[in-house]
Amino acid sequence: MAQFGSLSDRLTETFRNLRSKGRLTPSDVDGTVREIRRALLDADVALEVVKAFTAAVRERALSDEVNRALNPAQQVVQIVNEELVGILGGQQRRLEFAKKPPTVIMLAGLQGAGKTTLAGKLGKWLKKDGHTPMLVAADLQRPNAVQQLQVVGEQAGVHVFAPEPGNGVGDPVKVAKNAIKAAVDQQYDTVIVDTAGRLGVDAELMKQAANIRKAVDPDEVLFVIDAMIGQDAVVTARAFQEGVDFTGVVLSKLDGDARGGAALSVASVTGRPIMFASTGEGLDDFEPFHPDRMASRILDLGDIMSLIEQAQSAFDEDEARKVAEKIASDSFTLNDFLGQMQQLRKAGSIKGMLGMLPGAKGMREALDNFDEREIVRTEAIIQSMTPQERELPKLLNGSRRLRIAKGAGSTVTEVNALVNRFEQAAKMMKTVARGGVPQMPGMGPIPGMHGGKKQQQGGKKKSKVGNPAKRAALAAGAAAAPQQAPQGSGLGLGGAAKGGKAPTEEELASLQKFLGR
């Protein structure tokens, strides 16, 4: 969530200062509320929302529920989380479908808010859910708006109703009316009407939107708002509420790098719930809005439920079972590795999924530097191999690796690195599948755990020291070591022998002098 990154960092830092306190005093609470107020105002949250929010947090933080808490700091975080859920709308609200199809959904908003693209996203999302949506090109003023909707509809695999060419030609109210008749005749159960927008709120826009609403009597009117427009979001939302009276809000461009806090104000100011969020440019970057999950993301508490849902939608259980069997039987190949990466890409942005983990803000720099194109380059290398090479990586000699590198547009070094990573990953997965603990690269085997190499009893034969004096001293030390080691510490280091004395500093100095150090 790039939009709320700054707000999340500020709030997380504020709560971190509370963790060292066993008991919260009124001055601690006031200081925390002051920092929360500053963080919200810096994030462009509306002033009236900030005042109500901080007043509620302060009142609850000074109440008995915190004074009796075992961990006051965690209790304050919980209070902020609950209040944040409240200003985001409280409970999630789903689309309400008509008892008698078609269900009519009207989109309204300013020009540039992303209504046309969002129409395609919503249509694709509904189609995945088993519905038969139809997009309606009722934006006949903006240049090439009809053509854009047709392109988006084709990409989403959704039918587009566009009887007029647009570019100022045609009556949008008539198009919307005819679209309902066409949906009934062609048995589409959902109609999504894309209306015209303007660069600012004006009477003509509101009158046209109100006429379309009156003509088609939509079941849902979704107000699409750009999450990056700042404080103007509240003014625009109120104007559309008075002119069109929308039933829900859709936040677009939540992947932007603006402060975005004004989006937090819309639900609280208008009393209308945020129903969907657009999180990227792709047609799949679209999700239902969950106030509780968004609040958890902002407070860096993670969003495990959304992460699980994304994974379940992309990964096939039968395929996962087959891969697990292959790992256990040591038959996991580069083909299987490629299939797993492709399924991972279907789940969405890897950077976005990692950002849903609790404490992800601590990995902010690593996440920002993560290049998702690296997966594409890895796929290109594997796809440049022959089927036989993917099944048996041991066949990859120097000439084959050079050919693969040229085919993938990479270097032999990158091919070598991929093969080495695959072999290490296969070994680790095999060890885990058999109930062992894998040996991590650069680390020795874990004591008391299986999976590490057995220590050789004889040890490696050491080379003979050339200096006779040093050789004699080393031999004397080796002869004394077995007797002393068991009487020292558990590692045979330090600790004097029972009944004996530890060597003095003078003795150690003379020994070093004797060895010529």
Side-chain angles (χ1 to χ4, degrees), residues 181-212:
K181 296 178 183 177
V184 173
D185 295 340
Q186 300 173 31
Q187 296 185 341
Y188 288 101
D189 70 352
T190 313
V191 176
I192 302 171
V193 183
D194 178 30
T195 63
R198 292 291 187 279
L199 295 177
V201 178
D202 57 30
E204 184 183 354
L205 164 66
M206 290 305 171
K207 184 178 179 181
Q208 185 185 101
N211 289 339
I212 293 176

Side-chain angles (χ1 to χ4, degrees), residues 347-408:
S349 167
I350 297 175
K351 190 183 294 186
M353 289 191 290
L354 290 174
M356 295 180 191
L357 294 173
K361 294 297 179 292
M363 304 184 292
R364 172 69 58 81
E365 186 176 350
L367 287 175
D368 290 342
N369 294 331
F370 179 74
D371 186 4
E372 298 200 28
R373 291 174 297 179
E374 188 66 32
I375 295 180
V376 179
R377 288 191 283 267
T378 301
E379 287 183 6
I381 292 173
I382 297 176
Q383 289 169 340
S384 296
M385 300 177 185
T386 65
Q388 190 179 18
E389 289 169 343
R390 296 182 203 176
E391 295 291 330
L392 298 170
K394 292 182 179 179
L395 295 175
L396 296 175
N397 55 22
S399 60
R400 287 174 183 259
R401 297 187 185 209
L402 179 61
R403 187 204 77 236
I404 292 166
K406 289 181 177 178

Side-chain angles (χ1 to χ4, degrees), residues 115-325:
K115 292 190 305 300
T116 303
T117 304
L118 192 127
K121 292 181 178 183
L122 180 58
K124 187 173 183 178
W125 182 79
L126 288 168
K127 188 176 180 181
K128 282 183 181 178
D129 206 30
H131 294 278
T132 52
M134 179 177 76
L135 307 183
V136 180
D139 181 359
L140 304 179
Q141 267 108 12
R142 182 168 62 88
N144 297 321
V146 174
Q147 288 82 353
Q148 182 189 353
L149 187 65
Q150 288 173 330
V151 170
V152 169
E154 184 179 354
Q155 291 174 345
V158 178
H159 175 68
V160 178
F161 181 79
E164 299 289 350
N167 296 325
V169 178
D171 181 3
V173 178
K174 185 177 179 182
V175 168
K177 277 185 178 179
N178 293 338
I180 307 300
K181 296 178 183 177
V184 173
D185 295 340
Q186 300 173 31
Q187 296 185 341
Y188 288 101
D189 70 352
T190 313
V191 176
I192 302 171
V193 183
D194 178 30
T195 63
R198 292 291 187 279
L199 295 177
V201 178
D202 57 30
E204 184 183 354
L205 164 66
M206 290 305 171
K207 184 178 179 181
Q208 185 185 101
N211 289 339
I212 293 176
R213 171 161 190 164
K214 191 181 296 183
V216 300
D217 190 20
D219 300 279
E220 296 278 10
V221 179
L222 300 182
F223 172 51
V224 184
I225 187 165
D226 184 345
M228 299 194 297
I229 65 173
Q231 285 292 333
D232 196 39
V234 176
V235 178
T236 305
R238 280 181 170 151
F240 270 90
Q241 187 178 21
E242 294 171 3
V244 186
D245 190 22
F246 52 85
T247 60
V249 179
V250 180
L251 297 179
S252 65
K253 305 180 185 178
L254 267 181
D255 58 321
D257 56 0
R259 288 174 289 185
L264 303 178
S265 314
V266 175
S268 181
V269 168
T270 64
R272 298 292 185 266
I274 302 173
M275 297 176 64
F276 295 98
S278 176
T279 57
E281 295 181 0
L283 292 180
D284 291 317
D285 298 328
F286 178 79
E287 59 187 35
F289 188 85
H290 299 266
D292 54 340
R293 300 183 189 181
M294 181 59 68
S296 294
R297 289 194 209 181
I298 292 173
L299 296 179
D300 198 21
L301 301 176
D303 185 4
I304 300 300
M305 286 303 298
S306 295
L307 185 59
I308 291 172
E309 288 174 2
Q310 277 189 243
Q312 285 178 337
S313 65
F315 287 89
D316 185 355
E317 285 188 25
D318 294 334
E319 187 66 27
R321 195 176 296 109
K322 291 177 183 177
V323 170
E325 291 172 357

Side-chain angles (χ1 to χ4, degrees), residues 411-428:
T411 63
V412 176
T413 304
E414 291 175 330
V415 176
N416 293 339
L418 169 62
V419 174
N420 291 337
R421 287 200 305 269
F422 168 74
E423 291 175 349
Q424 289 176 1
K427 287 179 182 177
M428 291 174 63

